[in-house]
Amino acid sequence: MKSFIQHTFSMLFLLFSSSVILSQDKNIQITGQLIEEATSQAIPYATVVLHDKTTKKIIAGTTSDDSGKFSISTSNSNFYLEVSFMGFETKNIQIFNISNNKADLGKIILAPDNQTLDEVVITGEVSKTVFKLDKRVFNVGADISSTGASALEVLNNVPSVNVNIEGEISLRGSSGVQMLINGKPSVLADESSNALGTITADMIESIEIITNPSAKYEASGTAGILNIILKKEEKRGWNGSVSVNTGIPDNHSVGLSLNRRTESFNLFAQLGAGYRSLPKDSEAINRDLVNDEVIFSTGTEYRDETFYNLTLGTDYHINDLNVLTLSANVAYEIEEQPSETIFSSFDANDALISSWMRNEVTDATNPKYKYELNYKKQFENNEDHTLLFSALGSFFGKDQSSEFINTTISGDDNDSDQKTVTNFQQADYTFKADYTNPISDIYTIETGAQYVINDVGNDYEVSDLTNGVFVTDEALTNNFEYNQKVLGVYGTVAYEREKWGVKAGLRVEQTNLKTLLTNTNVANEQDFTNLFPTVHSSYKVGEDFSLQAGYSKRIFRPRLWDLNPFFNIRNNFNVRVGNPDLQPEFTDSYELTSIYKIGNASLSSSLYHKYTTDMVERVSTYIDGVTITTPENIGTNSSIGFETNGKYRANNWLTITGDFNLNYFDRVGTFESQVFDFSGNQWSSRLGSTIGLPADIDVELTGNYQSGYETVQGNVTGYAHLDLGVRKKIFKGKAIVNLGIRDLFESRISEQLVSQETFETYSFAQRGRFITLGISYGFGKGEAMTYSGGRRR
């Protein structure tokens, strides 16, 4: 506060003193450059003031420029210089070497003010994980290997989180994760639209991992919640950063981030554009165990995307207690999905029946936009006493056309052509009101409501080439309409002492879901109301040891693609279809977590138990050589797991992080007279190290292992992979060059076997090695894109 008052007063005084100083003759000019002690980086916008030695009054004042340099003049010969900046010790200079009315002080080193820094929570380089009552916060600012990568790749570095080769997100080995952006649902967090690919690592400040959410959060997502917090600078004046990235396979992008903050407004903008190619090699074997016939396929498919992304927004500080935020995001993608697959069919004697090539040419355009209005009111009695209203609207569209050409290579004739046309539109609306009141130092209440509307239409048409003319296949053509409305109301009460605290809450949600196949007029409607209680507690045993415990009830509501009965015919021998009659699954989740520090190491361990009813599993059936996979509700799943993760800072140049998760499950269920009772386990681990080298070079190595596990009809193979990252600071840290290599040894795979009495289906996929090279530069008060989360004001 002292430095802030000095800064403000000196600026006011500067306006008056400058005119007087200019009129003086024989002024003494003092110059210098302000430098941080720890990093040798320049300190811009620090306060520089000249005082009269006798009266201590201010004679003149200025601030340092972008490079930390300053120049100040005075005709008073009896003065001393004072330099101050928040977070650093104030420095007084009494002795000057004056020559020709000039005094060059050179580089002035400012040391951090440890007392001030103790009051500021700094994440990033200091610690990747911060623990709170009902969540963990993972800061990704220093994750050098993810620079230039998408949000999905960043998530794959977060403890407890795994992203498979298809982009499916799991938390502690379980799917059904609810994704949020800045605490709210967003089209950018919709897995089915691949929109997370439009968020790059340099846009993310932190990720909240909520394995056992309180009643304040939406009850969907049986595995928990992942909340991506995007950066929004808070520095006064202009600041920003620009980044350029390239990679192999093609991964080229440019990004610009701008921020202008005044007393009343915070204007922010982000602009990005680029091109990326995502190749995938795949292999599949369909084996009929009744007649021993086999269909084998192998090929490569691509998803080539040109994308443009623009975000504009403003925070309007009506006064100290009221803030209005309006933001909008517009994105546009142009997709091409070429693929080439070789099919071969063999009889019981392994003799070739036929071999043919299937080529796909797919073009799509994906417009998407979202808009958001927030109003936040703080009350005078307490800054945590708040009322928040928010409204979010979003749209995602896909206009896609595909052509499939079969060309016989040998054997029986399999020449045929097909076309598909898809017109997909999704509109989502979310309205929220949240009220938080710390009614005393130990009691806090929260209450609020949320109303969510999801409205989707998927018009899908398949045509076959017959006698030179494409004829619509009515059996595969339909328009699927999906409309879901969820109303939720919640309340929580928290009691928190210095060492012990407890938080209890209840959420009520009413769901109305309607689906309709318009061509066949087949409709399905579900209407249900559920209660979702939550309890969380924490106990601080000592300064270095704490315990947390929690319980919550969760729901997984079937998504559009789980319900839509139509499918992509890229490989028409292995197809996935939805189930319009699929019911939601419910999970009771219990968790006990310990957090402790041992010297330079910090560790967190959790013991958890989940019991899920109406478990959703993908079940495969085999008809005429075609494997059809459909989600079904199959019985219950009881699991118990142990997870531990930690960080050890060996010295100032070596940091080691690790994560281990073991999950044992017991399945009970029956589907169409087939019993699916079995037990199994799966585990995953991650070990990473950050090594500081001379010349401001950092190296990061991250090894991952995902074990294999048993499924209701077969098994999934485990895999290990290694990521490498190198970072080099240049221009005194204002610019950073990053090199990242994903899957260094090309060992990350997706391999699954479905084995039943009458058939077997094997599938394999691999994306291979990805190399990225990027450079980012921060200007104004901005920093380079590896922004650590510690903000200067």
Side-chain angles (χ1 to χ4, degrees):
M1 178 59 72
K2 179 180 177 182
S3 63
F4 174 78
I5 295 173
Q6 290 174 333
H7 178 79
T8 305
F9 184 77
S10 63
M11 291 300 95
L12 294 173
F13 185 84
L14 178 62
L15 296 175
F16 170 77
S17 62
S18 57
S19 59
V20 177
I21 292 173
L22 290 173
S23 66
Q24 300 293 326
D25 295 328
K26 299 181 180 180
N27 284 345
I28 299 173
Q29 185 181 32
I30 302 99
T31 59
Q33 184 181 22
L34 307 181
I35 301 296
E36 291 185 25
E37 181 183 64
T39 64
S40 298
Q41 295 184 35
I43 304 178
Y45 304 98
T47 301
V48 182
V49 180
L50 288 175
H51 292 267
D52 187 283
K53 281 187 176 181
T54 304
T55 66
K56 309 300 182 184
K57 291 183 177 180
I58 295 178
I59 302 171
T62 187
T63 59
S64 57
D65 62 16
D66 288 349
S67 59
K69 295 180 180 180
F70 69 88
S71 177
I72 190 170
S73 300
T74 180
S75 60
N76 189 329
S77 59
N78 186 34
F79 63 86
Y80 69 90
L81 186 78
E82 182 182 79
V83 179
S84 60
F85 193 74
M86 183 172 290
F88 293 85
E89 294 179 354
T90 299
K91 190 160 192 172
N92 291 326
I93 300 176
Q94 304 278 346
I95 300 175
F96 302 87
N97 183 11
I98 301 174
S99 176
N100 296 325
N101 291 330
K102 294 182 180 180
D104 186 359
L105 301 178
K107 292 184 177 180
I108 302 172
I109 309 299
L110 296 189
D113 185 344
N114 292 327
Q115 181 176 357
T116 301
L117 289 176
D118 287 342
E119 301 172 358
V120 181
V121 178
I122 302 177
T123 56
E125 295 282 347
V126 176
S127 177
K128 285 188 176 181
T129 307
V130 177
F131 293 89
K132 296 188 178 181
L133 179 63
D134 56 353
K135 60 188 172 185
R136 286 175 288 162
V137 181
F138 181 79
N139 188 285
V140 297
D143 191 350
I144 59 177
S145 67
S146 64
T147 300
S150 71
L152 284 172
E153 292 174 291
V154 178
L155 283 168
N156 207 38
N157 278 326
V158 176
S160 310
V161 179
N162 183 66
V163 182
N164 68 14
I165 197 170
E166 301 297 336
E168 182 181 10
I169 301 168
S170 60
L171 182 58
R172 287 178 171 169
S174 300
S175 58
V177 181
Q178 183 191 7
M179 298 297 304
L180 302 176
I181 302 292
N182 292 334
K184 295 176 290 294
S186 168
V187 69
L188 293 176
D190 184 0
E191 287 184 69
S192 64
S193 68
N194 192 40
L196 280 173
T198 66
I199 301 177
T200 55
D202 48 35
M203 296 167 61
I204 302 174
E205 180 173 301
S206 62
I207 297 174
E208 297 179 348
I209 309 104
I210 308 171
T211 54
N212 220 337
S214 71
K216 180 176 181 178
Y217 296 96
E218 193 175 350
S220 63
T222 53
I225 295 172
L226 293 175
N227 182 23
I228 299 175
I229 307 297
L230 301 180
K231 294 176 184 174
K232 186 166 62 178
E233 295 285 6
E234 295 182 1
K235 305 169 193 169
R236 296 284 178 93
W238 279 104
N239 56 83
S241 55
V242 61
S243 65
V244 179
N245 297 284
T246 188
I248 303 171
D250 289 326
N251 185 7
H252 318 296
S253 65
V254 294
L256 174 66
S257 176
L258 293 173
N259 178 250
R260 168 67 173 170
R261 186 170 178 84
T262 65
E263 191 68 28
S264 298
F265 285 94
N266 179 38
L267 306 173
F268 51 92
Q270 290 179 332
L271 176 65
Y275 172 80
R276 57 182 166 232
S277 179
L278 299 173
K280 182 174 73 173
D281 296 325
S282 59
E283 180 181 314
I285 302 174
N286 291 9
R287 188 181 301 275
D288 189 327
L289 299 181
V290 176
N291 56 29
D292 287 336
E293 291 184 351
V294 177
I295 297 176
F296 176 82
S297 65
T298 181
T300 301
E301 61 188 63
Y302 295 84
R303 187 172 73 243
D304 302 333
E305 299 174 343
T306 301
F307 59 92
Y308 309 91
N309 189 25
L310 173 65
T311 299
L312 296 172
T314 182
D315 298 317
Y316 172 46
H317 294 260
I318 303 170
N319 52 44
D320 291 340
L321 301 175
N322 296 272
V323 181
L324 189 67
T325 300
L326 178 64
S327 63
N329 171 267
V330 179
Y332 191 76
E333 296 175 353
I334 302 172
E335 283 187 24
E336 294 181 351
Q337 297 182 27
S339 71
E340 182 178 284
T341 306
I342 303 294
F343 289 85
S344 301
S345 64
F346 298 87
D347 63 18
N349 298 316
D350 289 333
L352 181 66
I353 299 173
S354 178
S355 176
W356 67 99
M357 178 187 298
R358 184 173 178 86
N359 290 95
E360 174 190 357
V361 178
T362 292
D363 298 300
T365 56
N366 306 329
K368 41 191 163 185
Y369 58 83
K370 69 182 182 75
Y371 42 90
E372 185 173 5
L373 177 65
N374 284 318
Y375 168 70
K376 182 178 181 180
K377 176 177 177 57
Q378 287 181 299
F379 295 86
E380 292 185 357
N381 64 325
N382 192 318
E383 65 177 8
D384 294 324
H385 187 186
T386 59
L387 177 64
L388 176 65
F389 293 101
S390 66
L392 171 72
S394 62
F395 172 84
F396 172 73
K398 180 182 282 289
D399 187 2
Q400 177 174 296
S401 62
S402 302
E403 183 173 1
F404 301 90
I405 302 172
N406 285 1
T407 305
T408 301
I409 298 175
S410 63
D412 293 350
D413 183 10
N414 273 287
D415 288 353
S416 65
D417 291 356
Q418 290 178 298
K419 283 186 177 181
T420 64
V421 177
T422 303
N423 183 13
F424 175 85
Q425 294 184 334
Q426 175 176 347
D428 300 314
Y429 307 94
T430 302
F431 305 93
K432 288 187 67 177
D434 296 291
Y435 174 71
T436 303
N437 185 359
I439 55 180
S440 71
D441 291 339
I442 59 175
Y443 289 102
T444 300
I445 61 172
E446 295 174 316
T447 187
Q450 176 176 278
Y451 187 54
V452 180
I453 303 172
N454 309 115
D455 194 5
V456 183
N458 185 54
D459 194 353
Y460 182 69
E461 180 183 60
V462 179
S463 301
D464 300 312
L465 185 62
T466 304
N467 297 324
V469 178
F470 279 99
V471 179
T472 300
D473 187 338
E474 299 294 345
L476 301 178
T477 298
N478 213 319
N479 182 31
F480 183 71
E481 295 182 356
Y482 167 97
N483 184 272
Q484 179 175 265
K485 299 182 180 69
V486 180
L487 173 64
V489 179
Y490 75 90
T492 71
V493 178
Y495 171 87
E496 191 167 5
R497 291 283 191 177
E498 182 179 351
K499 287 193 173 183
W500 180 73
V502 62
K503 183 177 183 179
L506 179 66
R507 188 179 186 93
V508 182
E509 289 191 350
Q510 193 273 334
T511 304
N512 179 263
L513 171 63
K514 296 179 181 179
T515 65
L516 175 66
L517 294 170
T518 59
N519 292 14
T520 58
N521 204 34
V522 176
N524 178 45
E525 181 173 1
Q526 301 178 28
D527 201 319
F528 49 89
T529 301
N530 303 104
L531 300 179
F532 300 95
T534 63
V535 180
H536 294 84
S537 181
S538 65
Y539 180 69
K540 186 176 181 181
V541 180
E543 289 299 322
D544 297 328
F545 183 55
S546 298
L547 291 172
Q548 295 176 333
Y551 161 77
S552 67
K553 187 178 182 65
R554 310 292 297 160
I555 184 175
F556 171 75
R557 297 182 182 89
R559 300 156 297 185
L560 169 71
W561 303 115
D562 297 317
L563 301 170
N564 189 352
F566 292 95
F567 53 85
N568 189 306
I569 59 173
R570 170 173 294 154
N571 185 332
N572 48 12
F573 288 91
N574 290 279
V575 299
R576 293 186 177 185
V577 300
N579 177 5
D581 297 319
L582 198 65
Q583 300 296 306
E585 63 179 35
F586 294 89
T587 298
D588 290 290
S589 178
Y590 307 83
E591 183 173 324
L592 177 64
T593 300
S594 61
I595 305 163
Y596 44 96
K597 292 181 65 178
I598 305 174
N600 293 332
S602 59
L603 295 170
S604 170
S605 298
S606 298
L607 186 66
Y608 59 90
H609 168 62
K610 292 183 179 182
Y611 184 76
T612 303
T613 58
D614 290 324
M615 185 77 177
V616 176
E617 287 282 3
R618 298 194 177 275
V619 178
S620 296
T621 57
Y622 193 75
I623 302 174
D624 295 331
V626 178
T627 301
I628 302 173
T629 305
T630 309
E632 302 286 352
N633 296 106
I634 301 180
T636 63
N637 181 50
S638 179
S639 67
I640 185 169
F642 172 76
E643 179 186 39
T644 184
N645 55 72
K647 177 179 180 180
Y648 174 61
R649 190 173 183 86
N651 46 49
N652 59 2
W653 58 267
L654 175 63
T655 300
I656 299 173
T657 59
D659 179 58
F660 174 81
N661 180 50
L662 172 64
N663 179 31
Y664 172 83
F665 56 87
D666 184 33
R667 295 299 316 276
V668 176
T670 303
F671 176 71
E672 293 184 350
S673 73
Q674 184 176 0
V675 177
F676 290 113
D677 293 353
F678 68 98
S679 299
N681 65 80
Q682 64 181 117
W683 62 277
S684 63
S685 63
R686 179 187 290 113
L687 183 63
S689 62
T690 302
I691 305 169
L693 301 178
D696 278 335
I697 297 175
D698 292 324
V699 177
E700 184 178 271
L701 290 167
T702 304
N704 297 266
Y705 178 76
Q706 176 70 51
S707 77
Y709 58 93
E710 189 175 351
T711 66
V712 292
Q713 291 183 301
N715 61 78
V716 173
T717 303
Y719 62 87
H721 71 278
L722 179 68
D723 298 334
L724 168 68
V726 181
R727 174 177 62 182
K728 162 67 177 171
K729 294 181 180 180
I730 57 178
F731 302 134
K732 298 180 179 179
K734 295 293 286 183
I736 296 177
V737 179
N738 295 273
L739 172 67
I741 304 177
R742 290 281 179 177
D743 194 5
L744 182 63
F745 299 110
E746 297 187 281
S747 55
R748 187 179 178 188
I749 62 172
S750 174
E751 187 175 38
Q752 183 173 4
L753 175 67
V754 173
S755 181
Q756 296 293 281
E757 290 185 2
T758 59
F759 72 96
E760 283 185 352
T761 300
Y762 169 83
S763 62
F764 174 90
Q766 183 178 31
R767 290 203 182 277
R769 184 186 301 113
F770 285 75
I771 302 174
T772 60
L773 177 66
I775 182 169
S776 54
Y777 175 76
F779 54 87
K781 297 181 186 180
E783 300 170 0
M785 285 292 196
T786 53
Y787 174 74
S788 66
R791 293 175 178 150
R792 297 189 188 129
R793 292 174 173 81

